[in-house]
Amino acid sequence: MKPIQIITGDITTIHADAIVNAANTSLLGGGGVDGAIHRAAGPALLEECRTLGGCATGQAKATGAYRLPCRHVIHTPGPIWRGGTAGEDRLLADCYRNCLACAASLGCQTVAFPSISTGAYRFPLDRAARIALQAIRDGLRVYPAITCVTIVCFDARTCAAYEQALAEVERAHA
Ligand code: APR
């Protein structure tokens, strides 16, 4: 299994140890992948989320997965794109770093991410993909117990952007 793989699909069907939810700071659900994860997990997920007291942008909090085929859901609010001068790049990298740290603390070997912040939060896709891949690559060195990270893209355009970013990151470190 490759340490980083990019697929097109629905993250709610992924049998990873942990899947990551692109949440908002309330952690009380929403649309997009947040809505899909809550719909698939069932109401118990929201009940647990209510006990967490929200989550700051860039941070990560884990819950159970309930009816989902994974063991944990790691919720992280990505940054809303505001033009690139409000620390968005660092906050997006923090999302990936903190989710991997959380996954490692839970003993996860496999983790699946959606494309954080590139939907409703309007983060430019190519820029987000490069930040994500660099942070994931760095994280895999810090947490060797994590053997595979999958980026689950919901459409072909997103998949192409992450494949391009992976090629760039691998070339830069060849
Ligand atoms: N599986 C994988 N990826 C998905 C799925 C799914 N089932 N559904 C949507 N996506 C993709 C979107 O196509 C996009 O590429 O997830 C990516 C992130 O988009 P959003 O879900 O809109 O997340 P984000 O841009 O981080 O905005 C978060 O939207 O849903 C609300 O509560 C959420 O307020 C928060 C905001």
PDB file of all heavy atoms in Angstrom, residues 133-159:
ATOM      1  N   LEU A 133      -0.660  18.164   0.714  1.00  0.00           N
ATOM      2  CA  LEU A 133       0.299  17.084   0.440  1.00  0.00           C
ATOM      3  C   LEU A 133       1.613  17.303   1.198  1.00  0.00           C
ATOM      4  O   LEU A 133       2.200  16.364   1.735  1.00  0.00           O
ATOM      5  CB  LEU A 133       0.553  16.976  -1.066  1.00  0.00           C
ATOM      6  CG  LEU A 133      -0.304  15.973  -1.822  1.00  0.00           C
ATOM      7  CD1 LEU A 133      -0.114  14.575  -1.227  1.00  0.00           C
ATOM      8  CD2 LEU A 133      -1.784  16.310  -1.822  1.00  0.00           C
ATOM      9  N   GLN A 134       2.057  18.541   1.284  1.00  0.00           N
ATOM     10  CA  GLN A 134       3.289  18.822   2.010  1.00  0.00           C
ATOM     11  C   GLN A 134       3.103  18.497   3.502  1.00  0.00           C
ATOM     12  O   GLN A 134       3.950  17.845   4.126  1.00  0.00           O
ATOM     13  CB  GLN A 134       3.691  20.294   1.851  1.00  0.00           C
ATOM     14  CG  GLN A 134       5.051  20.624   2.471  1.00  0.00           C
ATOM     15  CD  GLN A 134       6.190  19.800   1.868  1.00  0.00           C
ATOM     16  OE1 GLN A 134       6.412  19.825   0.661  1.00  0.00           O
ATOM     17  NE2 GLN A 134       6.896  19.042   2.705  1.00  0.00           N
ATOM     18  N   ALA A 135       1.962  18.884   4.050  1.00  0.00           N
ATOM     19  CA  ALA A 135       1.715  18.635   5.480  1.00  0.00           C
ATOM     20  C   ALA A 135       1.558  17.143   5.757  1.00  0.00           C
ATOM     21  O   ALA A 135       2.050  16.628   6.770  1.00  0.00           O
ATOM     22  CB  ALA A 135       0.462  19.391   5.914  1.00  0.00           C
ATOM     23  N   ILE A 136       0.907  16.440   4.845  1.00  0.00           N
ATOM     24  CA  ILE A 136       0.728  14.986   5.028  1.00  0.00           C
ATOM     25  C   ILE A 136       2.082  14.287   4.932  1.00  0.00           C
ATOM     26  O   ILE A 136       2.424  13.432   5.746  1.00  0.00           O
ATOM     27  CB  ILE A 136      -0.261  14.429   3.989  1.00  0.00           C
ATOM     28  CG1 ILE A 136      -1.684  14.912   4.300  1.00  0.00           C
ATOM     29  CG2 ILE A 136      -0.216  12.903   3.939  1.00  0.00           C
ATOM     30  CD1 ILE A 136      -2.681  14.683   3.176  1.00  0.00           C
ATOM     31  N   ARG A 137       2.879  14.698   3.942  1.00  0.00           N
ATOM     32  CA  ARG A 137       4.200  14.070   3.783  1.00  0.00           C
ATOM     33  C   ARG A 137       5.042  14.272   5.043  1.00  0.00           C
ATOM     34  O   ARG A 137       5.669  13.349   5.559  1.00  0.00           O
ATOM     35  CB  ARG A 137       4.895  14.674   2.571  1.00  0.00           C
ATOM     36  CG  ARG A 137       6.173  13.982   2.187  1.00  0.00           C
ATOM     37  CD  ARG A 137       6.875  14.707   1.037  1.00  0.00           C
ATOM     38  NE  ARG A 137       8.156  14.098   0.786  1.00  0.00           N
ATOM     39  CZ  ARG A 137       9.242  14.320   1.536  1.00  0.00           C
ATOM     40  NH1 ARG A 137       9.157  15.147   2.560  1.00  0.00           N
ATOM     41  NH2 ARG A 137      10.377  13.727   1.261  1.00  0.00           N
ATOM     42  N   ASP A 138       5.028  15.520   5.560  1.00  0.00           N
ATOM     43  CA  ASP A 138       5.788  15.805   6.792  1.00  0.00           C
ATOM     44  C   ASP A 138       5.231  14.986   7.956  1.00  0.00           C
ATOM     45  O   ASP A 138       5.985  14.419   8.751  1.00  0.00           O
ATOM     46  CB  ASP A 138       5.717  17.299   7.123  1.00  0.00           C
ATOM     47  CG  ASP A 138       6.396  18.173   6.068  1.00  0.00           C
ATOM     48  OD1 ASP A 138       7.139  17.617   5.220  1.00  0.00           O
ATOM     49  OD2 ASP A 138       6.163  19.390   6.064  1.00  0.00           O
ATOM     50  N   GLY A 139       3.919  14.891   8.020  1.00  0.00           N
ATOM     51  CA  GLY A 139       3.285  14.177   9.137  1.00  0.00           C
ATOM     52  C   GLY A 139       3.622  12.702   9.142  1.00  0.00           C
ATOM     53  O   GLY A 139       3.810  12.093  10.202  1.00  0.00           O
ATOM     54  N   LEU A 140       3.725  12.102   7.960  1.00  0.00           N
ATOM     55  CA  LEU A 140       4.054  10.674   7.883  1.00  0.00           C
ATOM     56  C   LEU A 140       5.460  10.394   8.408  1.00  0.00           C
ATOM     57  O   LEU A 140       5.751   9.297   8.884  1.00  0.00           O
ATOM     58  CB  LEU A 140       3.918  10.175   6.443  1.00  0.00           C
ATOM     59  CG  LEU A 140       2.475  10.016   5.940  1.00  0.00           C
ATOM     60  CD1 LEU A 140       2.449   9.647   4.470  1.00  0.00           C
ATOM     61  CD2 LEU A 140       1.735   8.967   6.773  1.00  0.00           C
ATOM     62  N   ARG A 141       6.304  11.401   8.360  1.00  0.00           N
ATOM     63  CA  ARG A 141       7.657  11.213   8.922  1.00  0.00           C
ATOM     64  C   ARG A 141       7.646  11.327  10.438  1.00  0.00           C
ATOM     65  O   ARG A 141       8.414  10.696  11.139  1.00  0.00           O
ATOM     66  CB  ARG A 141       8.610  12.257   8.310  1.00  0.00           C
ATOM     67  CG  ARG A 141       9.177  11.787   7.005  1.00  0.00           C
ATOM     68  CD  ARG A 141       9.562  12.882   6.036  1.00  0.00           C
ATOM     69  NE  ARG A 141       9.992  12.251   4.795  1.00  0.00           N
ATOM     70  CZ  ARG A 141       9.169  11.579   4.003  1.00  0.00           C
ATOM     71  NH1 ARG A 141       7.889  11.474   4.321  1.00  0.00           N
ATOM     72  NH2 ARG A 141       9.606  10.991   2.898  1.00  0.00           N
ATOM     73  N   VAL A 142       6.724  12.145  10.929  1.00  0.00           N
ATOM     74  CA  VAL A 142       6.646  12.326  12.395  1.00  0.00           C
ATOM     75  C   VAL A 142       5.913  11.156  13.036  1.00  0.00           C
ATOM     76  O   VAL A 142       6.212  10.762  14.157  1.00  0.00           O
ATOM     77  CB  VAL A 142       5.921  13.665  12.716  1.00  0.00           C
ATOM     78  CG1 VAL A 142       5.731  13.821  14.220  1.00  0.00           C
ATOM     79  CG2 VAL A 142       6.686  14.843  12.128  1.00  0.00           C
ATOM     80  N   TYR A 143       4.963  10.574  12.288  1.00  0.00           N
ATOM     81  CA  TYR A 143       4.129   9.495  12.852  1.00  0.00           C
ATOM     82  C   TYR A 143       4.261   8.238  11.981  1.00  0.00           C
ATOM     83  O   TYR A 143       3.364   7.931  11.194  1.00  0.00           O
ATOM     84  CB  TYR A 143       2.667   9.927  12.927  1.00  0.00           C
ATOM     85  CG  TYR A 143       2.462  11.231  13.670  1.00  0.00           C
ATOM     86  CD1 TYR A 143       2.090  12.390  12.994  1.00  0.00           C
ATOM     87  CD2 TYR A 143       2.689  11.311  15.038  1.00  0.00           C
ATOM     88  CE1 TYR A 143       1.935  13.591  13.664  1.00  0.00           C
ATOM     89  CE2 TYR A 143       2.534  12.515  15.729  1.00  0.00           C
ATOM     90  CZ  TYR A 143       2.168  13.647  15.032  1.00  0.00           C
ATOM     91  OH  TYR A 143       2.022  14.833  15.702  1.00  0.00           O
ATOM     92  N   PRO A 144       5.379   7.523  12.090  1.00  0.00           N
ATOM     93  CA  PRO A 144       5.620   6.339  11.242  1.00  0.00           C
ATOM     94  C   PRO A 144       4.583   5.226  11.449  1.00  0.00           C
ATOM     95  O   PRO A 144       4.409   4.381  10.576  1.00  0.00           O
ATOM     96  CB  PRO A 144       7.011   5.870  11.666  1.00  0.00           C
ATOM     97  CG  PRO A 144       7.282   6.502  12.969  1.00  0.00           C
ATOM     98  CD  PRO A 144       6.513   7.764  13.026  1.00  0.00           C
ATOM     99  N   ALA A 145       3.857   5.258  12.557  1.00  0.00           N
ATOM    100  CA  ALA A 145       2.849   4.215  12.772  1.00  0.00           C
ATOM    101  C   ALA A 145       1.657   4.383  11.818  1.00  0.00           C
ATOM    102  O   ALA A 145       0.908   3.432  11.575  1.00  0.00           O
ATOM    103  CB  ALA A 145       2.353   4.253  14.227  1.00  0.00           C
ATOM    104  N   ILE A 146       1.518   5.589  11.255  1.00  0.00           N
ATOM    105  CA  ILE A 146       0.477   5.795  10.241  1.00  0.00           C
ATOM    106  C   ILE A 146       1.049   5.316   8.908  1.00  0.00           C
ATOM    107  O   ILE A 146       2.023   5.879   8.414  1.00  0.00           O
ATOM    108  CB  ILE A 146       0.047   7.275  10.164  1.00  0.00           C
ATOM    109  CG1 ILE A 146      -0.569   7.719  11.498  1.00  0.00           C
ATOM    110  CG2 ILE A 146      -0.963   7.476   9.022  1.00  0.00           C
ATOM    111  CD1 ILE A 146      -0.947   9.193  11.556  1.00  0.00           C
ATOM    112  N   THR A 147       0.492   4.251   8.371  1.00  0.00           N
ATOM    113  CA  THR A 147       1.103   3.619   7.193  1.00  0.00           C
ATOM    114  C   THR A 147       0.491   4.084   5.877  1.00  0.00           C
ATOM    115  O   THR A 147       1.106   3.926   4.822  1.00  0.00           O
ATOM    116  CB  THR A 147       0.943   2.089   7.278  1.00  0.00           C
ATOM    117  OG1 THR A 147      -0.449   1.807   7.459  1.00  0.00           O
ATOM    118  CG2 THR A 147       1.733   1.525   8.458  1.00  0.00           C
ATOM    119  N   CYS A 148      -0.738   4.632   5.944  1.00  0.00           N
ATOM    120  CA  CYS A 148      -1.345   5.063   4.682  1.00  0.00           C
ATOM    121  C   CYS A 148      -2.332   6.201   4.907  1.00  0.00           C
ATOM    122  O   CYS A 148      -3.186   6.116   5.789  1.00  0.00           O
ATOM    123  CB  CYS A 148      -2.078   3.903   3.994  1.00  0.00           C
ATOM    124  SG  CYS A 148      -2.805   4.390   2.410  1.00  0.00           S
ATOM    125  N   VAL A 149      -2.178   7.260   4.127  1.00  0.00           N
ATOM    126  CA  VAL A 149      -3.122   8.371   4.126  1.00  0.00           C
ATOM    127  C   VAL A 149      -3.785   8.410   2.751  1.00  0.00           C
ATOM    128  O   VAL A 149      -3.100   8.415   1.728  1.00  0.00           O
ATOM    129  CB  VAL A 149      -2.421   9.719   4.407  1.00  0.00           C
ATOM    130  CG1 VAL A 149      -3.391  10.881   4.196  1.00  0.00           C
ATOM    131  CG2 VAL A 149      -1.872   9.730   5.835  1.00  0.00           C
ATOM    132  N   THR A 150      -5.100   8.398   2.740  1.00  0.00           N
ATOM    133  CA  THR A 150      -5.850   8.459   1.480  1.00  0.00           C
ATOM    134  C   THR A 150      -6.575   9.792   1.396  1.00  0.00           C
ATOM    135  O   THR A 150      -7.210  10.206   2.366  1.00  0.00           O
ATOM    136  CB  THR A 150      -6.889   7.322   1.420  1.00  0.00           C
ATOM    137  OG1 THR A 150      -6.208   6.069   1.557  1.00  0.00           O
ATOM    138  CG2 THR A 150      -7.651   7.339   0.097  1.00  0.00           C
ATOM    139  N   ILE A 151      -6.434  10.452   0.267  1.00  0.00           N
ATOM    140  CA  ILE A 151      -7.210  11.671   0.049  1.00  0.00           C
ATOM    141  C   ILE A 151      -8.391  11.278  -0.841  1.00  0.00           C
ATOM    142  O   ILE A 151      -8.193  10.770  -1.961  1.00  0.00           O
ATOM    143  CB  ILE A 151      -6.362  12.780  -0.595  1.00  0.00           C
ATOM    144  CG1 ILE A 151      -5.213  13.118   0.351  1.00  0.00           C
ATOM    145  CG2 ILE A 151      -7.211  14.006  -0.883  1.00  0.00           C
ATOM    146  CD1 ILE A 151      -4.127  13.937  -0.262  1.00  0.00           C
ATOM    147  N   VAL A 152      -9.575  11.449  -0.323  1.00  0.00           N
ATOM    148  CA  VAL A 152     -10.793  11.022  -1.032  1.00  0.00           C
ATOM    149  C   VAL A 152     -11.409  12.241  -1.708  1.00  0.00           C
ATOM    150  O   VAL A 152     -11.973  13.118  -1.043  1.00  0.00           O
ATOM    151  CB  VAL A 152     -11.800  10.386  -0.055  1.00  0.00           C
ATOM    152  CG1 VAL A 152     -13.007   9.841  -0.827  1.00  0.00           C
ATOM    153  CG2 VAL A 152     -11.135   9.257   0.745  1.00  0.00           C
ATOM    154  N   CYS A 153     -11.247  12.296  -3.022  1.00  0.00           N
ATOM    155  CA  CYS A 153     -11.748  13.449  -3.789  1.00  0.00           C
ATOM    156  C   CYS A 153     -13.155  13.137  -4.285  1.00  0.00           C
ATOM    157  O   CYS A 153     -13.458  11.995  -4.636  1.00  0.00           O
ATOM    158  CB  CYS A 153     -10.826  13.706  -4.975  1.00  0.00           C
ATOM    159  SG  CYS A 153      -9.102  13.985  -4.471  1.00  0.00           S
ATOM    160  N   PHE A 154     -13.987  14.167  -4.278  1.00  0.00           N
ATOM    161  CA  PHE A 154     -15.398  13.941  -4.619  1.00  0.00           C
ATOM    162  C   PHE A 154     -15.669  14.141  -6.105  1.00  0.00           C
ATOM    163  O   PHE A 154     -16.751  13.840  -6.578  1.00  0.00           O
ATOM    164  CB  PHE A 154     -16.287  14.893  -3.797  1.00  0.00           C
ATOM    165  CG  PHE A 154     -17.673  14.365  -3.528  1.00  0.00           C
ATOM    166  CD1 PHE A 154     -17.889  13.057  -3.119  1.00  0.00           C
ATOM    167  CD2 PHE A 154     -18.780  15.200  -3.686  1.00  0.00           C
ATOM    168  CE1 PHE A 154     -19.170  12.589  -2.862  1.00  0.00           C
ATOM    169  CE2 PHE A 154     -20.066  14.749  -3.432  1.00  0.00           C
ATOM    170  CZ  PHE A 154     -20.257  13.429  -3.015  1.00  0.00           C
ATOM    171  N   ASP A 155     -14.677  14.693  -6.806  1.00  0.00           N
ATOM    172  CA  ASP A 155     -14.879  14.903  -8.247  1.00  0.00           C
ATOM    173  C   ASP A 155     -13.520  14.848  -8.948  1.00  0.00           C
ATOM    174  O   ASP A 155     -12.475  14.940  -8.312  1.00  0.00           O
ATOM    175  CB  ASP A 155     -15.581  16.253  -8.512  1.00  0.00           C
ATOM    176  CG  ASP A 155     -14.827  17.412  -7.874  1.00  0.00           C
ATOM    177  OD1 ASP A 155     -13.638  17.606  -8.223  1.00  0.00           O
ATOM    178  OD2 ASP A 155     -15.384  18.092  -6.997  1.00  0.00           O
ATOM    179  N   ALA A 156     -13.567  14.731 -10.261  1.00  0.00           N
ATOM    180  CA  ALA A 156     -12.349  14.518 -11.056  1.00  0.00           C
ATOM    181  C   ALA A 156     -11.419  15.719 -10.995  1.00  0.00           C
ATOM    182  O   ALA A 156     -10.196  15.579 -10.945  1.00  0.00           O
ATOM    183  CB  ALA A 156     -12.732  14.217 -12.498  1.00  0.00           C
ATOM    184  N   ARG A 157     -11.996  16.926 -10.953  1.00  0.00           N
ATOM    185  CA  ARG A 157     -11.161  18.143 -10.913  1.00  0.00           C
ATOM    186  C   ARG A 157     -10.339  18.169  -9.631  1.00  0.00           C
ATOM    187  O   ARG A 157      -9.137  18.465  -9.635  1.00  0.00           O
ATOM    188  CB  ARG A 157     -12.087  19.379 -11.001  1.00  0.00           C
ATOM    189  CG  ARG A 157     -11.383  20.713 -10.807  1.00  0.00           C
ATOM    190  CD  ARG A 157     -12.345  21.881 -11.023  1.00  0.00           C
ATOM    191  NE  ARG A 157     -11.760  23.132 -10.544  1.00  0.00           N
ATOM    192  CZ  ARG A 157     -11.932  23.594  -9.305  1.00  0.00           C
ATOM    193  NH1 ARG A 157     -12.690  22.927  -8.441  1.00  0.00           N
ATOM    194  NH2 ARG A 157     -11.346  24.719  -8.906  1.00  0.00           N
ATOM    195  N   THR A 158     -10.973  17.811  -8.527  1.00  0.00           N
ATOM    196  CA  THR A 158     -10.251  17.788  -7.246  1.00  0.00           C
ATOM    197  C   THR A 158      -9.178  16.713  -7.277  1.00  0.00           C
ATOM    198  O   THR A 158      -8.034  16.929  -6.860  1.00  0.00           O
ATOM    199  CB  THR A 158     -11.248  17.559  -6.094  1.00  0.00           C
ATOM    200  OG1 THR A 158     -12.219  18.627  -6.113  1.00  0.00           O
ATOM    201  CG2 THR A 158     -10.549  17.534  -4.740  1.00  0.00           C
ATOM    202  N   CYS A 159      -9.533  15.551  -7.827  1.00  0.00           N
ATOM    203  CA  CYS A 159      -8.570  14.442  -7.900  1.00  0.00           C
ATOM    204  C   CYS A 159      -7.345  14.855  -8.720  1.00  0.00           C
ATOM    205  O   CYS A 159      -6.200  14.627  -8.304  1.00  0.00           O
ATOM    206  CB  CYS A 159      -9.264  13.247  -8.549  1.00  0.00           C
ATOM    207  SG  CYS A 159      -8.331  11.730  -8.394  1.00  0.00           S
TER     208      CYS A 159
END
